[in-house]
């Protein structure tokens, strides 16, 4: 057995006279660590401590070899004679064990590199470095620097040397492996890695965890195959991905690993293709999923090609299929922040079709102040967003409100306002802004109203325009057909203008009726009526087509309708057929809308009939004959109540 006395070359660690001696056996370390280094590391545990007299960690190896022009040192440690504790003092590092101790002084650049490590651990790691190549492979490796932390398992890293950084120091390692390196797995599962980036204050910016099949570091690019990846951005956004192929740009001659040097250039010019990509926005618990994503970001343009996108928030959900989304990212945006890309898509984007039609579904659910559900879905022919407006065209669109109102649109064109500078997806807020200033043009509009299941109503219009702008709701309906159990009604050239000064929701009929009752105007050219005799089951049958329900167009009994509401009063002027002649009828009186009971009440106080007759009783008599419907009741005090 080798005795300690045989180790005459050993140097007592932390002996100040020894640190000061001129003829140190390890003087060649002052030039560089060595031209050739080969180590089989069994374990290494290092933690930088301020107390220099305290052990900084422990080092155990099976084989250690360093080779220079002056010295060739080989140590075999099968018997663990050379296991040692690690010490540091000034720019000197030493290893002190039961059988031997040695110490050497680091060059300034080596000291800066070693001193940057806050801690480091290795288990069963092989390390080789000479003028031609670098090899690092093993079971476990972990380290923490001020702005980076790496934990990796079952890895193999092979690197060529950078011609400008051939010394075996920190710069040589990084320059070789981050410009000419290839990492692969020791087993089929992949390299298990956790790579974290921090800002200068120590705040975590990005945490990348996953299994990598390979990572190829080239002079100007990074190329990787990833089995699974989880990315945490500043504890705000959590990304998950599977079966990812990644390629991105990197600067030439990287010799330091920081977010600014590596991550930002990569995200500025990146291509990702995979099976699944998901994001969870941790503050609001919103979720985004993308199936079969093909994503690129270059020249400040984000392109997302996918088979399916879904975004789920607390009160809303959005689905989009078979499209290519192209977004312009802000010039001054920080690509490390997901909000930069989200802001681009919410403020400057365009949607393109692929081979199949683009389909989407948009759902809003509210619980307060009262339950409300809105579902919109259909195809998308075009979709554009800029800083202030949103425009969409669709061949077919369906809208469902509270599972009781069903609307079909054909050939729709929507142009509406959006909030400037959006950086988060808020479907409810976007819909609110859209409804405040919007123009809808469409070919046909079909509505099924099943709010009262005992009295369903079908509605159909032909080319029409709905505009809500400057607190004015403007509706133009060239033809409007209404069908219920009792009556068939056909109106021609309906024009409605209402003041919406209290932010009434144009998608909620009760609120629009309330707005029109306060201040509005309705004009109708002609009204045709006929008997219906349709059953509830027929009206609610999905196969029932309102186009097959014909209203016989005889001479209209009512035409040139002009209704004005203002300050709680209604003023009406209507042309009717009386004794075969066209005659004018006028009336006025208080009007009110009970939004809870959904009842419209009109009290006739003044009227003028043909031949100059002024009699509210006669007016009510004629009205009862001409307007008959289950929803309309006439009371003795000349009050008309319409249940809507």
């Amino acid at each position: 057995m080798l005795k300690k006395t045989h180790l005459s070359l050993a140097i007592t660690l932390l002996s100040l006279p020894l640190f000061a001696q001129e003829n140190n056996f390890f003087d060649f370390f002052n030039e560089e660590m060595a031209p050739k280094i080969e180590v089989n590391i069994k374990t290494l545990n290092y933690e930088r401590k301020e107390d220099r007299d305290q052990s900084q960690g422990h080092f155990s190896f099976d084989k250690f070899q360093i080779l220079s022009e002056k010295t060739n040192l080989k140590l075999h440690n099968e018997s663990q004679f050379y296991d040692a504790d690690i010490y540091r003092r000034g720019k000197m590092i030493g290893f002190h064990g039961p059988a031997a101790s040695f110490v050497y002084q680091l060059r300034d650049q080596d000291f800066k590199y070693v001193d940057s490590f806050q801690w480091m651990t290795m288990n069963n790691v092989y390390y080789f470095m000479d003028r031609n190549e670098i090899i690092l492979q093993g079971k476990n490796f972990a380290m923490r620097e001020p702005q980076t932390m790496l934990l990796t398992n079952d890895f193999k890293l092979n690197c060529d040397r950078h011609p400008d950084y051939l010394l075996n120091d920190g710069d040589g390692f990084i320059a070789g492996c981050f410009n000419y390196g290839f990492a692969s797995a020791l087993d089929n599962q992949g390299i298990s890695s956790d790579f974290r980036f921090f800002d200068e204050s120590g705040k975590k910016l990005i945490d990348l965890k996953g299994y990598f099949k390979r990572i190829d570091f080239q002079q100007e690019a990074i190329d990787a195959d990833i089995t699974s990846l989880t990315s945490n951005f500043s504890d705000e956004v959590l990304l998950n991905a599977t079966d990812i192929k990644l390629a991105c740009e990197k600067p030439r001659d990287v010799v330091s690993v920081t977010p600014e040097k590596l991550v930002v250039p990569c995200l500025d010019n990146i291509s990702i293709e995979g099976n699944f990509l998901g994001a969870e926005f941790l503050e609001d618990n919103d979720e985004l999923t993308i199936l079969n994503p093909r994503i690129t970001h270059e020249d400040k343009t984000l392109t997302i090609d996918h088979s399916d996108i879904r975004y789920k928030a607390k009160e809303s959900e959005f689905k989009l299929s078979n499209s290519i989304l192209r977004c312009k990212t802000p010039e001054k945006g920080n690509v490390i922040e997901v909000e930069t890309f989200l802001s681009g898509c919410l403020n400057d984007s365009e949607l393109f079709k692929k081979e199949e039609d683009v389909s989407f579904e948009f759902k809003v659910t509210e619980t307060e102040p009262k339950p409300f559900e809105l579902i919109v879905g259909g195809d998308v022919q075009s979709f554009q967003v800029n800083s202030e407006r949103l425009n969409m065209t669709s061949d077919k669109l369906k809208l469902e409100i509270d599972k009781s109102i069903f609307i079909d649109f054909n050939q729709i064109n929507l142009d509406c306002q959006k909030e400037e500078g959006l950086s988060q997806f808020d479907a409810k807020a976007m819909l609110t802004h859209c409804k405040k200033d919007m123009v809808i043009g469409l070919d046909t509009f079909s509505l099924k109203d099943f709010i009262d299941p005992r009295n369903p109503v079908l509605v159909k219009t032909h080319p029409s325009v709905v505009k809500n702008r400057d607190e004015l709701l403007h509706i133009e309906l060239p033809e409007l057909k209404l069908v219920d159990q009792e009556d068939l009604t056909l109106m021609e050239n309906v024009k409605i203008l209402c003041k919406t000064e209290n932010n009434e929701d144009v998608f909620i009929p009760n609120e629009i009726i309330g707005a029109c009752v306060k201040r509005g105007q309705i004009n109708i050219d002609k009204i045709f009526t006929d008997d219906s005799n349709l059953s509830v089951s027929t009206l609610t049958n999905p196969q029932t087509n309102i186009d097959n329900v014909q209203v016989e167009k005889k001479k209209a009994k009512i035409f040139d309708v002009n209704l004005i509401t203002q300050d709680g009063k209604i003023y009406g002027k209507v042309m009717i057929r009386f004794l075969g002649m066209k005659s004018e009828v006028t009336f006025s009186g208080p009007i009110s809308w009970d939004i809870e009971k959904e009842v419209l009440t009109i009290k006739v106080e003044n009227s003028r009939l043909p031949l100059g007759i002024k009699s509210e009783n006669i007016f009510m008599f004629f009205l009862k004959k001409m307007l008959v419907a289950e929803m309309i009741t006439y009371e003795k005090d000349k009050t008309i109540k319409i249940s809507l």
Side-chain angles (χ1 to χ4, degrees):
M1 181 179 291
L2 183 64
K3 297 182 179 179
K4 292 184 180 180
T5 54
H6 295 163
L7 299 173
S8 59
L9 296 178
I11 304 169
T12 304
L13 182 69
L14 301 180
S15 170
L16 289 178
L18 177 63
F19 282 148
Q21 67 180 333
E22 297 180 359
N23 297 316
N24 192 334
F25 177 75
F26 296 97
D27 278 343
F28 61 89
F29 286 126
N30 288 317
E31 300 173 4
E32 62 172 323
M33 187 169 291
K36 177 181 177 181
I37 304 170
E38 184 176 13
V39 188
N40 282 331
I41 300 171
K42 193 172 183 180
T43 60
L44 185 146
N45 296 289
Y46 167 77
E47 181 179 0
R48 188 183 64 196
K49 298 177 181 178
E50 296 302 322
D51 185 356
R52 302 301 190 184
D53 292 331
Q54 189 177 1
S55 171
Q56 311 277 303
H58 187 77
F59 175 56
S60 177
F61 63 91
D62 291 329
K63 176 185 176 182
F64 181 91
Q65 179 180 10
I66 50 178
L67 177 65
S68 73
E69 294 179 357
K70 300 178 181 179
T71 307
N72 182 5
L73 174 63
K74 292 183 179 180
L75 295 176
H76 294 274
N77 191 30
E78 290 84 354
S79 301
Q80 300 181 356
F81 279 158
Y82 301 112
D83 288 3
D85 291 328
I86 305 170
Y87 290 85
R88 290 179 54 223
R89 176 172 294 177
K91 294 182 180 179
M92 292 177 287
I93 186 167
F95 297 86
H96 176 62
S101 300
F102 66 92
V103 64
Y104 58 88
Q105 184 169 348
L106 297 171
R107 297 176 306 148
D108 289 343
Q109 57 267 43
D110 291 331
F111 171 76
K112 183 179 180 181
Y113 180 66
V114 172
D115 194 58
S116 69
F117 291 105
Q118 298 177 9
W119 53 262
M120 179 184 293
T121 63
M122 297 186 196
N123 290 291
N124 299 324
V125 172
Y126 173 75
Y127 174 59
F128 177 87
M129 192 173 187
D130 67 5
R131 295 288 189 253
N132 298 311
E133 64 177 334
I134 302 170
I135 301 172
L136 182 68
Q137 67 180 47
K139 189 66 178 174
N140 307 107
F141 175 81
M143 66 86 183
R144 169 67 195 270
E145 290 183 303
Q147 289 190 261
T148 56
M149 186 175 80
L150 173 64
L151 298 88
T152 186
N153 301 313
D154 302 316
F155 63 94
K156 180 168 61 176
L157 177 64
N158 293 83
C159 316
D160 292 335
R161 298 306 304 265
H162 192 293
D164 297 333
Y165 298 89
L166 289 175
L167 295 182
N168 291 346
D169 55 12
D171 288 348
F173 180 85
I174 293 176
C177 290
F178 281 86
N179 294 284
Y180 304 95
F182 185 85
S184 57
L186 291 177
D187 57 33
N188 294 328
Q189 188 175 11
I191 308 170
S192 172
S193 294
D194 183 351
F195 205 169
R196 305 179 190 181
F197 293 91
F198 305 84
D199 64 16
E200 293 181 354
S201 69
K203 178 185 176 182
K204 184 172 67 176
L205 298 175
I206 302 176
D207 183 0
L208 306 174
K209 295 180 182 178
Y211 287 93
F212 298 79
K213 293 181 181 178
R214 66 174 186 87
I215 307 175
D216 188 3
F217 292 96
Q218 304 166 23
Q219 267 285 63
E220 297 182 346
I222 300 173
D223 192 71
D225 284 346
I226 305 169
T227 305
S228 64
L229 181 67
T230 299
S231 307
N232 186 317
F233 291 81
S234 301
D235 289 329
E236 296 175 356
V237 181
L238 191 65
L239 292 182
N240 293 287
T242 58
D243 295 329
I244 294 292
K245 293 185 181 297
L246 179 148
C248 71
E249 189 176 278
K250 63 170 281 293
R252 291 181 64 88
D253 304 329
V254 166
V255 290
S256 63
V257 182
T258 66
E260 294 76 17
K261 291 284 187 180
L262 205 61
V263 179
V264 172
C266 178
L267 294 177
D268 272 335
N269 196 330
I270 189 171
S271 171
I272 299 173
E273 182 175 342
N275 178 46
F276 169 86
L277 179 65
E280 181 181 352
F281 299 87
L282 301 177
E283 182 177 353
D284 301 317
N285 291 324
D286 293 358
E287 296 179 359
L288 169 70
T289 59
I290 306 176
L291 299 183
N292 303 312
R294 290 177 291 280
I295 302 172
T296 62
H297 181 239
E298 57 183 342
D299 299 327
K300 293 294 182 181
T301 300
L302 175 68
T303 303
I304 304 176
D305 185 336
H306 65 94
S307 62
D308 188 85
I309 289 181
R310 300 190 180 199
Y311 192 101
K312 186 176 181 180
K314 181 180 179 181
E315 295 185 336
S316 61
E317 187 172 350
F318 178 76
K319 302 177 184 178
L320 182 67
S321 300
N322 300 315
S323 70
I324 299 174
L325 179 64
R326 190 163 295 153
C327 315
K328 293 294 290 184
T329 50
E331 286 293 330
K332 297 182 179 180
N334 184 353
V335 291
I336 292 180
E337 298 175 355
V338 175
E339 287 80 3
T340 296
F341 298 102
L342 197 56
S343 174
C345 293
L346 293 174
N347 296 283
D348 190 350
S349 63
E350 187 171 2
L351 195 68
F352 299 91
K353 291 198 305 180
K354 297 202 290 187
E355 295 81 8
E356 303 177 27
D357 285 342
V358 179
S359 62
F360 84 101
E361 183 178 284
F362 177 48
K363 181 178 179 180
V364 176
T365 306
E366 297 181 5
T367 56
E368 296 179 352
K370 62 180 181 179
F372 172 74
E373 182 179 81
L374 170 71
I375 301 175
V376 184
D379 68 77
V380 180
Q381 298 301 312
S382 67
F383 183 86
Q384 291 179 313
V385 174
N386 60 37
S387 61
E388 299 178 353
R389 308 294 297 177
L390 181 153
N391 181 271
M392 184 189 77
T393 61
S394 171
D395 286 343
K396 294 182 181 294
L397 199 65
K398 293 182 178 292
L399 188 149
E400 178 183 322
I401 301 175
D402 284 338
K403 297 180 180 179
S404 56
I405 296 179
F406 305 89
I407 305 174
D408 290 332
F409 303 90
N410 288 325
Q411 303 298 324
I412 184 171
N413 187 319
L414 167 67
D415 179 80
C416 72
Q417 166 189 278
K418 63 167 286 291
E419 184 180 355
E420 292 187 61
L422 287 176
S423 60
Q424 291 185 340
F425 182 81
D426 187 336
K428 183 178 177 181
M430 292 177 68
L431 188 61
T432 299
H433 277 273
C434 182
K435 291 183 290 188
K436 286 181 179 179
D437 184 347
M438 72 174 187
V439 178
I440 302 176
L442 49 90
D443 182 44
T444 60
F445 167 98
S446 300
L447 179 146
K448 296 180 180 181
D449 179 353
F450 300 151
I451 293 178
D452 183 355
R454 298 168 301 176
N455 187 29
V457 179
L458 306 184
V459 181
K460 179 72 175 285
T461 74
H462 284 289
S464 53
V465 174
V466 179
K467 180 191 296 184
N468 188 40
R469 180 172 292 168
D470 299 326
E471 298 182 345
L472 285 175
L473 175 63
H474 185 189
I475 302 175
E476 293 186 10
L477 309 174
E479 185 176 283
L480 174 63
K481 184 190 293 185
L482 298 95
V483 179
D484 60 19
Q485 297 177 75
E486 302 292 333
D487 302 289
L488 310 177
T489 303
L490 179 65
M491 304 181 189
E492 291 184 350
N493 294 326
V494 179
K495 296 181 180 180
I496 303 172
L497 185 66
C498 302
K499 187 72 172 174
T500 56
E501 56 189 358
N502 295 317
N503 294 322
E504 287 87 358
D505 192 328
V506 296
F507 281 8
I508 300 180
N510 285 354
E511 292 191 14
I512 293 306
I513 294 172
C516 294
V517 165
K518 290 178 183 177
R519 184 173 296 184
Q521 182 174 344
I522 299 176
N523 297 97
I524 306 172
D525 280 3
K526 297 177 183 179
I527 301 178
F528 302 92
T529 60
D530 204 347
D531 293 333
S532 170
N533 297 320
L534 294 175
S535 65
V536 172
S537 60
T538 300
L539 291 170
T540 56
N541 189 329
Q543 304 302 320
T544 298
N545 188 344
I546 192 172
D547 288 333
N548 297 329
V549 181
Q550 300 297 322
V551 180
E552 187 175 352
K553 281 191 177 183
K554 298 177 181 179
K555 290 183 179 180
K557 295 181 180 180
I558 302 174
F559 50 94
D560 292 344
V561 177
N562 188 323
L563 304 175
I564 297 175
T565 58
Q566 186 173 354
D567 300 328
K569 290 267 185 110
I570 183 170
Y571 304 89
K573 183 171 68 173
V574 182
M575 297 298 292
I576 65 171
R577 293 192 181 276
F578 180 70
L579 301 178
M581 299 181 297
K582 294 181 179 180
S583 301
E584 183 181 88
V585 174
T586 62
F587 70 95
S588 63
I591 184 172
S592 63
W593 168 243
D594 189 328
I595 194 171
E596 297 297 329
K597 296 181 179 180
E598 299 179 335
V599 174
L600 181 68
T601 302
I602 301 172
K603 184 174 178 60
V604 179
E605 292 184 342
N606 297 289
S607 65
R608 184 181 180 88
L609 301 172
L611 305 176
I613 298 173
K614 294 183 178 180
S615 171
E616 285 70 44
N617 289 327
I618 297 177
F619 174 80
M620 294 291 289
F621 173 80
F622 278 108
L623 203 60
K624 291 177 185 178
K625 295 292 184 181
M626 303 182 73
L627 288 178
V628 179
E630 185 178 341
M631 61 194 299
I632 303 175
T633 58
Y634 300 92
E635 300 185 356
K636 293 182 179 180
D637 61 350
K638 308 178 189 65
T639 297
I640 306 167
K641 290 192 175 183
I642 306 173
S643 298
L644 299 176

